[in-house]
Amino acid sequence: MSDQTYLGVAASPHRADPLPRFANDWISAWLQFDGGTGLLHIGAGPREWVLEPVDPSALGAAVVPGTQIEGQFNPDLKIALIPGSHVVAGSSFFRLRA
């Protein structure tokens, strides 16, 4: 199975903190990066989260501060997915912390 790919990344038994493998782990959400506080605001339905990106400079490159965009969020793993941001930020996945 190590020769299979998932989301364009080769699967590896040595990779720490692999990304989840099931679509139902992700929810559609709006994302808004606050450049002043460095926090990412996330909303999906009635739920909202305010989390700190592990790498705020990468997230700042992917999202114009103050602009609300659509993306995906995994609340259990605290990972945001911003499709296409790999072009400007080097990755489409952003780890977050409380």
Side-chain angles (χ1 to χ4, degrees):
M1 190 169 243
S2 64
D3 61 345
Q4 292 181 344
T5 60
Y6 174 68
L7 297 176
V9 178
S12 170
H14 306 292
R15 183 166 176 205
D17 299 325
L19 295 173
R21 296 183 178 268
F22 304 102
N24 62 353
D25 293 342
W26 297 91
I27 57 175
S28 294
W30 58 261
L31 309 165
Q32 185 171 1
F33 182 58
D34 183 337
T37 64
L39 299 174
L40 181 65
H41 298 257
I42 304 167
R47 299 196 60 196
E48 288 193 33
W49 298 263
V50 179
L51 301 169
E52 177 185 7
V54 172
D55 186 353
S57 62
L59 187 61
V63 180
V64 175
T67 302
Q68 195 173 93
I69 62 167
E70 283 190 45
Q72 300 286 314
F73 178 58
N74 186 310
D76 294 329
L77 296 179
K78 294 186 178 63
I79 298 175
L81 165 61
I82 303 172
S85 65
H86 64 281
V87 174
V88 293
S91 179
S92 293
F93 296 92
F94 300 91
R95 294 196 183 275
L96 308 165
R97 58 181 163 230

